[in-house]
C-alpha cells in the first residue's frame, strides 16, 4: 500500500515537541540509584546520546511522556505490543484475576487453559512449561537439551541475542560480558547466520558433543535478518544428521509473525521452542515447549531441574489467555502486514529517489531502518552500520514524536493498533529525518 504522503513540506513546518525537561531531571536522579538509570541496558540512550525519556502512559500505538508529549511508538516495548499497548481485553482480564489473588504457588485452571491454547497454536509443541521471561525460557531449554542429549555444546549464531543467561551470552558478538566463567563460554560455539556450510563444518568438528543448535529464526539484534530461502530447513536437516536438537528462540518472532510464529511462516519444526514478549500481552512471561518425549525429562517426572515461584501466576495467565484469544482473529496478521508494508514502501520510495545508503529489512511487523549501504545477512555485515548517523536520525524523530529503539541494530515493531493515519504521519517524519541526516549535515 502506497502512503498518501508526498513529503513536500520543509523541516521548519514540522512541530517539535516540548523539551522533555522533567524527564531530563529524573534521568539525572535515577542514575544515582539504578546503574545507568535503567533496569535493562537496552533501554539506555548510551548509543544515541542524550537522556532517557520517562513515560507515564502507553495506549494503542502511542506512548505519552511525563512532559506531556505524545509519540507514535515503534519500540513496542521491545516486542510485546503486537496489538499495541494495553489491549483492553488483556487489561480487563488481569484486573479481574488480581482481585482473586495474584499468586497461589499451586496449580490453577488458567494455567491449563493457557497451555491448551499454546499447544493448539504451535504444532511442534505437545507440552509446554511457563516461566517469567525470555531469558528463563532459553536458559531452561538449553539445560533441557543438555540433559536430554547428554551433550554439552550449544551452537548459536554470532550476533544473536537469547537473553542474559551465561551459556548464551558467552561471546555472542557485539554484546560482550564480564562475569561468565571460561568453562561455560567454551561450551558455546558460534557460526555465521544464513551459512549452512559453516554450520556443517562446526557440527562435523564437534560431532559428538553438540546438544543443540539455538537460533532466532529472524535475528533482531543486528538489523532484522530474514533467513535465506532454505536456511532454516537446512538447519533442521543438519540437526537430524548430527543427532542434536534444534532450538528456535521465538521470543520476539513468536505470535508476532503468525499465530504459529516463524515456524508457521517458514514451514519448519523445532525440537524445542522458546517464547516470551508478545505471549503475555504485556505481562512478564516466558514459555518453552516441545515434544512430550523431550519435555518429560523435566522434573518432577524427569531429571532436569527447572522451577519458578511466579511461573504460571494467575494474572499473567489471564493476560496471556486474553492475548491469545485476540491474536486468533486472522485479521490481526493481515493488519500487521499491511501497516508495516505501508510504512516501508513509502520510505523506500524516498530512499530510492535520493539513493540514501539505507536498508529496510522487514519480516512482517519486525522492521529495521538500517544505515548501511549493503543488506545485512549476518553479524559481520552488521559492523558496517553507521551508528552515528542513526543517532542523529533517532533524535530528529524523537523530537517530532516518533519513538524508535535507541539502537542502530535492534528491531523495531509495528503493531496492529497503528492506524493508516499514524503510519502516514510517521512516514512524513521519518522521510524528513532521512533528508535531515543525509542532505543537511
Ligand atoms: N530471545 C530473544 C530473541 C530476545 O529478543 C530477547 C529479548 O530481547 C530474549 C530472548 C530475552 O528475553 P527477556 O528480555 O524477556 O529475558
Amino acid at each position: 500500500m502506497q502512503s498518501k504522503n508526498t513529503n513536500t513540506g520543509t523541516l521548519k513546518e514540522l512541530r517539535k515537541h516540548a523539551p522533555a525537561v522533567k524527564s531530563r531531571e529524573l534521568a539525572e536522579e535515577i542514575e544515582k540509584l539504578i546503574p545507568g538509570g535503567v533496569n535493562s541496558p537496552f533501554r539506555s540512550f548510551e548509543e544515541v546520546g542524550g537522556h532517557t525519556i520517562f513515560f507515564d502512559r502507553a495506549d494503542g500505538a502511542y506512548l505519552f511522556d511525563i512532559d506531556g508529549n505524545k509519540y507514535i511508538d515503534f519500540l513496542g516495548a521491545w516486542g510485546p505490543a503486537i496489538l499495541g499497548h494495553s489491549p483492553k481485553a488483556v487489561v480487563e482480564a488481569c484486573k479481574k484475576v488480581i482481585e482473586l489473588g495474584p499468586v497461589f504457588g499451586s496449580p490453577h485452571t488458567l494455567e491449563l487453559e493457557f497451555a491448551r491454547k499454546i499447544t493448539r497454536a504451535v504444532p511442534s509443541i505437545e507440552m509446554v512449561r511457563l516461566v517469567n521471561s525470555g531469558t528463563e525460557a532459553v536458559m531452561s531449554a538449553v539445560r533441557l537439551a543438555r540433559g536430554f542429549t547428554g551433550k554439552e555444546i550449544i551452537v548459536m549464531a554470532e550476533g544473536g541475542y537469547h537473553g542474559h543467561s551465561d551459556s548464551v551470552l558467552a561471546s555472542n558478538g557485539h554484546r560482550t560480558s564480564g562475569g561468565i566463567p571460561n568453562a561455560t563460554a567454551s561450551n558455546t560455539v558460534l557460526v555465521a547466520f544464513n551459512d549452512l556450510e559453516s554450520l556443517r563444518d562446526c557440527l562435523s568438528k564437534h560431532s559428538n558433543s553438540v546438544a543443540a543448535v539455538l537460533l532466532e529464526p529472524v535475528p533482531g539484534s543486528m538489523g532484522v535478518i530474514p533467513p535465506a530461502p532454505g536456511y532454516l530447513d537446512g538447519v533442521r536437516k543438519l540437526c537430524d544428521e548430527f543427532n542434536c536438537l534444534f532450538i528456535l528462540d521465538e521470543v520476539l518472532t513468536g505470535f508476532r509473525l503468525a499465530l504459529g510464529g516463524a515456524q508457521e511462516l517458514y514451514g519448519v519444526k523445532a525440537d524445542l521452542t522458546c517464547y516470551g514478549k508478545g505471549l503475555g500481552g504485556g505481562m512478564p512471561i516466558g514459555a518453552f515447549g516441545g515434544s512430550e518425549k523431550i519435555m518429560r525429562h523435566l522434573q518432577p517426572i524427569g531429571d532436569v531441574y527447572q522451577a519458578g515461584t511466579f511461573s504460571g501466576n494467575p494474572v499473567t495467565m489471564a493476560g496471556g489467555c486474553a492475548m491469545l484469544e485476540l491474536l486468533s482473529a486472522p485479521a490481526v496478521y493481515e493488519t500487521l502486514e499491511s501497516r508495516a508494508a505501508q510504512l516501508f514502501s513509502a520510505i523506500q520510495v524516498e530512499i530510492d529517489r535520493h539513493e540514501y545508503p539505507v536498508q529496510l529489512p522487514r519480516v512482517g511487523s519486525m522492521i529495521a531502518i538500517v544505515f548501511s549501504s549493503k543488506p545485512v545477512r549476518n553479524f559481520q555485515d552488521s559492523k558496517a552500520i553507521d551508528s552515528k548517523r542513526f543517532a542523529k536520525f533517532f533524535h530528529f524523530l524523537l523530537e517530532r514524536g516518533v519513538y524508535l529503539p535507541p539502537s542502530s541494530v535492534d528491531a523495531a515493531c509495528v503493531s496492529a493498533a497503528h492506524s493508516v493515519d499514524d503510519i502516514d504521519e510517521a512516514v512524513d517524519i521519518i522521510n524528513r529525518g532521512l533528508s535531515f541526516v543525509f542532505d543537511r549535515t
Side-chain angles (χ1 to χ4, degrees):
M1 182 177 181
Q2 181 71 46
S3 166
K4 68 180 184 232
N5 193 285
T6 50
N7 188 26
T8 51
T10 66
L11 291 176
K12 282 195 191 108
E13 288 165 21
L14 266 183
R15 195 176 56 82
K16 268 188 144 186
H17 268 175
V21 180
K22 288 189 203 156
S23 273
R24 180 194 299 273
E25 280 170 19
L26 294 191
E28 283 165 12
E29 209 179 316
I30 201 170
E31 279 175 23
K32 295 178 197 145
L33 302 174
I34 294 179
V38 286
N39 282 311
S40 180
F42 285 101
R43 299 175 197 170
S44 142
F45 276 21
E46 199 68 25
E47 182 185 344
V48 292
H51 62 85
T52 46
I53 303 295
F54 279 59
F55 296 104
D56 59 6
R57 195 157 67 85
D59 188 7
Y62 312 119
L63 289 172
F64 299 86
D65 76 14
I66 58 169
D67 286 282
N69 297 311
K70 175 179 169 184
Y71 302 80
I72 302 174
D73 176 41
F74 292 103
L75 178 71
W78 298 96
I82 300 174
L83 297 171
H85 294 282
S86 325
K88 205 165 179 304
V90 173
V91 173
E92 289 306 319
C94 292
K95 268 194 200 162
K96 217 163 118 191
V97 164
I98 200 167
E99 289 182 357
L100 302 173
V103 63
F104 304 142
S106 289
H108 57 95
T109 52
L110 285 168
E111 284 173 306
L112 175 60
E113 191 182 329
F114 196 44
R116 278 196 192 120
K117 285 186 191 300
I118 295 174
T119 51
R120 272 186 209 134
V122 189
S124 68
I125 299 194
E126 291 169 1
M127 292 184 103
V128 64
R129 190 160 267 180
L130 301 158
V131 292
N132 304 289
S133 67
T135 293
E136 262 186 78
V138 174
M139 179 183 74
S140 308
V142 162
R143 183 177 304 146
L144 179 56
R146 285 175 166 153
F148 177 77
T149 59
K151 304 187 225 175
E152 294 200 347
I153 288 181
I154 299 297
V155 177
M156 48 179 262
E158 192 183 17
Y161 183 69
H162 302 283
H164 62 276
S165 64
D166 283 2
S167 292
V168 298
L169 203 56
S171 50
N172 81 334
H174 53 274
R175 291 183 218 279
T176 52
S177 174
I180 295 176
N182 287 336
T184 306
S186 65
N187 277 319
T188 303
V189 177
L190 302 176
V191 292
F193 189 74
N194 268 340
D195 182 346
L196 285 174
E197 275 319 298
S198 87
L199 180 59
R200 173 176 282 286
D201 290 349
C202 171
L203 293 176
S204 305
K205 189 169 160 203
H206 302 281
S207 54
N208 288 322
S209 328
V210 176
V213 175
L214 164 68
L215 291 178
E216 295 162 85
V218 181
S221 298
M222 31 185 174
V224 164
I225 306 189
Y231 176 66
L232 294 175
D233 196 38
V235 175
R236 170 71 274 171
K237 289 190 176 119
L238 284 173
C239 288
D240 291 342
E241 185 181 332
F242 287 90
N243 202 20
C244 62
L245 299 189
F246 184 14
I247 308 178
L248 270 179
D249 177 348
E250 294 230 45
V251 169
L252 184 52
T253 54
F255 302 95
R256 173 171 282 282
L257 301 186
L259 192 62
Q263 292 179 79
E264 181 182 324
L265 190 66
Y266 296 109
V268 68
K269 253 181 159 183
D271 295 304
L272 287 172
T273 310
C274 308
Y275 296 104
K277 298 198 189 263
L279 180 59
M283 299 304 293
I285 198 162
F288 65 101
S291 68
E292 212 183 309
K293 184 172 159 208
I294 299 173
M295 292 298 284
R296 281 192 171 277
H297 280 251
L298 286 175
Q299 286 199 20
I301 48 177
D303 65 348
V304 177
Y305 194 70
Q306 184 279 328
T309 300
F310 292 106
S311 295
N313 77 80
V315 186
T316 300
M317 295 300 96
C321 285
M323 184 69 176
L324 290 189
E325 260 326 289
L326 293 171
L327 289 175
S328 60
V332 167
Y333 295 99
E334 286 161 22
T335 305
L336 285 166
E337 173 59 29
S338 143
R339 297 293 183 274
Q342 179 194 348
L343 180 73
F344 264 25
S345 59
I347 305 171
Q348 189 67 57
V349 168
E350 206 65 4
I351 289 173
D352 291 346
R353 182 172 356 177
H354 298 279
E355 297 182 1
Y356 295 137
V358 173
Q359 309 296 318
L360 296 180
R362 172 176 87 83
V363 177
S365 59
M366 265 177 84
I367 60 168
I369 301 175
V370 172
F371 285 75
S372 168
S373 56
K374 287 200 216 116
V376 173
R377 290 155 309 152
N378 54 39
F379 178 65
Q380 291 309 319
D381 294 346
S382 76
K383 289 181 179 165
I385 294 174
D386 184 345
S387 63
K388 287 209 175 82
R389 210 184 288 271
F390 174 81
K392 275 189 195 156
F393 177 71
F394 172 85
H395 280 289
F396 181 95
L397 267 53
L398 187 73
E399 287 166 12
R400 288 156 184 87
V402 170
Y403 197 70
L404 289 184
S407 153
S408 61
V409 293
D410 284 306
C413 295
V414 175
S415 81
H418 286 94
S419 68
V420 168
D421 287 347
D422 292 329
I423 298 290
D424 270 332
E425 196 179 334
V427 164
D428 185 27
I429 296 169
I430 288 169
N431 281 347
R432 290 168 194 246
L434 290 172
S435 164
F436 176 72
V437 298
F438 284 109
D439 304 338
R440 299 178 186 241
T441 52

